[in-house]
Amino acid sequence: MIKVKIPQPLRNLTDGKDEVSLEGNEIGEILLELEKKYPGIKERLRDEEGKLRRFINIFVNGDDIRHLEGEATPVEERDEVSILPAIAGG
Amino acid sequence: MKKFRNLQCRECGRRFPAEAVYVCEYCFGPLEVIYDYGSIDISRDSILEGPLSLWRYKPLLPVHTDSPVTIGEGLTPLLRAGNLEKELGLKELYIKNDSVNPTFSFKDRVVTVAVSRARELGFDTVACASTGNLACSVAAYGKKAGLKTVVFIPADLEKGKVLGAGIYQPRLVGVRGDYDQVNRLCGELAGTFKWGFVNVNLRPYYAEGSKTLGFEVAEQLGFRAPRQVVVPMASGSLLTKIYKGLKEFEELGIIEEAGTRFFGAQASGADPIAEAVRKDEDIIRPVKVKTIAKSLAIGNPADGYYAWDVIKKSGGYAASVTDDEIVEGIKLLASTEGVFTETAGGVTVGVLKKLVENGKIDPELSVVIYITGNGLKTQEAVEKSVSKIEEIEPSLKSFKESCPWAV
Ligand SMILES: [Zn+2]
């Protein structure tokens, strides 16, 4: 199982849970599981064409998947996935 | 009639009440304050009669209170840069010297607005995630407001910056991690504690403070917009807000439309927006940052798309400069105009030079460059670049012998 951290704005769709555990070998599969298990989340993460929205950031162990292999990024047991909005400077 | 009631998502257009909200909860897009311009009363005269701070533009800032938290921020000098004009072959160049704000950076503009709004919304604690300038500003304004003040920084931050923030006696929390991790932690904390994080859940208000850098320059030019501006970019917010400030002035009839062209300045090693402009692509690819310009070191800029858009539609351009060029930029500005800026200012001057040389900036038209922070904050960057001491004995003989250049 892979741990996925859920950001505050999506927790009303995950019964208030800030972390869920899902099966999958790559990010795309994990997201598919997440979308299946929690209806409504897909529209929040993806635009009409099914692409991840540009202000959604997905990290694997702290690395942005855009630096890795995007949705094909492999994940294994004990990896931590987080979904986060972009934050302004400071 | 209230001049604003709502925040609106820049991506999907959904509206939210004007409270402390972080991002659009639907699509994670950034939120912006929506004004009822019809109810806003502002004119050249009302501005000229206003206070000698950026609060003279209060009708266009997102607070209702009559007693904002102020330490005299804004109305910084706009200097005609005659020496640098000659050096670069420009006809009309100005420096907006924002390094002389109360805590020595432009962040005081955004923080005065955010902390005033925090108090208005009933927060008893203000906080931020920062690597320097913002930490200093939030510490100062939080204390001035009489609020509890918590500043989150990376634990290994340079001593000078810890001092610049710590002297105001805030709670200073050192997070073992890099700035991105500090930032993400604050995103989490904002959902857990009822605190006003200026660059997280108060960001829609905070960002509006940067518009005053558009208002002020227009006012100081005799109520006209500059033809070209060069603006440093980290998240890209400052550039988009200067654009918004000039647009608001145009639409309210305070200035004539000038078609100002926007030029963005980034540091190589943290230049995802400039890269997208150079490649003429509308995708901003996050980068892992590496630059001495730490105040501009953001690899995933939250307002990058909007900054890109302003640059493109205004007919401007963007460029980036190396660490060496940044230091040269700092030296050039100090030795021609007497203004000592931090690394971000070195980026701006370096990019100005580059864009003049490659013909993107028109030397016949006016240019304003924004200098956003003070050189004393990033001393380590120029330690090796200052004049060497010529040591002598206290005698005329020794002076003449040791200093043959004296004639
Ligand atoms: Zn939205």
Side-chain angles (χ1 to χ4, degrees):
Chain A
M1 299 285 264
I2 311 287
K3 281 192 178 134
V4 181
K5 291 204 149 193
I6 305 297
Q8 202 210 356
L10 296 180
R11 287 182 203 153
N12 56 346
L13 295 171
T14 58
D15 314 318
K17 278 185 252 175
D18 61 2
E19 193 176 282
V20 299
S21 290
L22 297 163
E23 296 282 358
N25 298 315
E26 50 188 55
I27 288 293
E29 292 173 24
I30 298 282
L31 292 179
L32 206 64
E33 281 299 303
L34 184 69
E35 291 159 2
K36 257 198 265 172
K37 205 162 166 190
Y38 300 103
I41 231 165
K42 187 176 177 188
E43 296 70 47
R44 309 284 283 273
L45 297 181
R46 298 181 186 278
D47 64 17
E48 295 71 26
E49 295 161 25
K51 282 193 300 194
L52 282 174
R53 293 184 186 278
R54 59 186 187 172
F55 283 91
I56 301 274
N57 300 292
I58 297 177
F59 294 86
V60 178
N61 303 326
D63 280 322
D64 193 316
I65 60 165
R66 282 169 288 207
H67 293 146
L68 305 168
E69 295 163 51
E71 292 198 51
T73 303
V75 282
E76 322 175 339
E77 206 71 12
R78 281 191 297 279
D79 278 345
E80 192 181 270
V81 175
S82 35
I83 303 172
L84 289 164
I87 291 182
Chain B
M1 185 64 204
K2 286 197 165 182
K3 68 184 176 188
F4 69 97
R5 299 167 178 284
N6 289 106
L7 304 175
Q8 185 169 34
C9 174
R10 289 196 69 162
E11 287 291 289
C12 72
R14 280 181 175 74
R15 288 195 173 197
F16 301 86
E19 291 161 5
V21 217
Y22 179 178
V23 287
C24 170
E25 62 177 45
Y26 188 81
C27 77
F28 285 26
L31 300 172
E32 196 163 40
V33 178
I34 300 299
Y35 298 90
D36 172 16
Y37 288 104
S39 75
I40 288 176
D41 195 12
I42 187 169
S43 65
R44 288 186 185 186
D45 286 343
S46 76
I47 292 167
L48 292 169
E49 285 161 14
L52 296 175
S53 76
L54 60 78
W55 289 101
R56 66 211 273 113
Y57 312 108
K58 188 179 158 241
L60 292 168
L61 294 173
V63 296
H64 299 297
T65 175
D66 285 326
S67 48
V69 182
T70 176
I71 323 179
E73 54 291 324
L75 279 204
T76 55
L78 182 74
L79 307 164
R80 180 74 186 255
N83 295 331
L84 197 50
E85 274 170 14
K86 283 202 200 88
E87 180 82 26
L88 300 177
L90 291 168
K91 205 165 176 185
E92 191 183 356
L93 175 66
Y94 301 88
I95 296 163
K96 180 59 173 170
N97 183 15
D98 230 29
S99 69
V100 294
N101 272 305
T103 75
F104 312 106
S105 86
F106 91 102
K107 290 289 183 190
D108 292 337
R109 295 179 182 273
V110 287
V111 171
T112 186
V113 174
V115 173
S116 299
R117 184 66 181 149
R119 203 162 65 173
E120 192 166 88
L121 288 169
F123 286 105
D124 66 0
T125 305
V126 286
C128 71
S130 175
T131 59
N133 287 332
L134 184 60
C136 300
S137 191
V138 167
Y141 283 82
K143 287 293 170 168
K144 176 69 178 173
L147 299 173
K148 283 179 248 167
T149 304
V150 190
V151 171
F152 292 84
I153 53 173
D156 62 355
L157 196 59
E158 300 96 313
K159 215 172 140 198
K161 290 177 180 168
V162 175
L163 185 113
I167 189 60
Y168 303 106
Q169 317 297 316
R171 287 279 176 189
L172 207 51
V173 182
V175 180
R176 291 184 205 105
D178 62 16
Y179 175 61
D180 279 346
Q181 290 170 305
V182 180
N183 236 337
R184 279 180 231 153
L185 173 67
C186 286
E188 273 297 296
L189 295 177
T192 310
F193 292 86
K194 298 238 169 309
W195 295 353
F197 282 84
V198 302
N199 55 337
V200 184
N201 53 356
L202 294 170
R203 177 173 145 202
Y205 311 100
Y206 162 94
E208 286 284 287
S210 292
K211 290 192 303 190
T212 60
L213 269 173
F215 300 153
E216 259 177 51
V217 162
E219 179 184 345
Q220 289 170 319
L221 288 172
F223 289 106
R224 71 185 169 96
R227 300 295 301 275
Q228 307 174 98
V229 295
V230 185
V231 185
M233 302 189 293
S235 72
S237 170
L238 176 61
L239 185 139
T240 62
K241 292 294 180 175
I242 291 173
Y243 172 81
K244 184 178 177 189
L246 291 176
K247 274 279 160 248
E248 284 180 338
F249 262 22
E250 287 171 7
E251 273 157 34
L252 293 163
I254 293 167
I255 58 172
E256 305 229 326
E257 183 152 357
T260 308
R261 294 162 65 200
F262 281 76
F263 295 88
Q266 291 202 298
S268 312
D271 62 346
I273 309 173
E275 181 73 8
V277 172
R278 267 197 299 269
K279 287 189 173 158
D280 201 15
E281 283 180 348
D282 62 354
I283 291 175
I284 292 170
R285 294 173 210 286
V287 297
K288 292 205 168 167
V289 296
K290 192 178 181 310
T291 170
I292 56 166
K294 298 225 165 60
S295 58
L296 300 182
I298 291 185
N300 181 15
D303 290 292
Y305 287 106
Y306 307 120
W308 181 91
D309 188 51
V310 168
I311 290 167
K312 296 296 279 188
K313 74 182 172 203
S314 72
Y317 202 68
S320 48
V321 286
T322 63
D323 286 356
D324 287 345
E325 291 170 313
I326 293 169
V327 173
E328 285 309 307
I330 295 172
K331 283 162 67 181
L332 180 61
L333 188 67
S335 61
T336 54
E337 298 299 332
V339 173
F340 179 25
T341 182
E342 64 151 298
T343 44
V347 169
T348 306
V349 174
V351 165
L352 167 72
K353 188 164 181 279
K354 192 169 266 187
L355 292 176
V356 172
E357 284 166 2
N358 68 16
K360 298 286 182 188
I361 283 181
D362 185 339
E364 297 297 313
L365 301 177
S366 62
V367 186
V368 172
I369 62 172
Y370 285 91
I371 298 302
T372 51
N374 196 295
L376 291 172
K377 292 198 176 193
T378 56
Q379 296 183 35
E380 55 290 342
V382 290
E383 263 163 9
K384 297 194 186 79
S385 307
V386 297
S387 299
K388 296 282 172 294
I389 293 178
E390 300 174 60
E391 200 170 318
I392 62 166
E393 296 303 323
S395 73
L396 181 61
K397 182 165 169 281
S398 172
F399 175 65
K400 282 186 168 170
E401 277 171 12
S402 302
C403 304
W405 44 261
V407 286

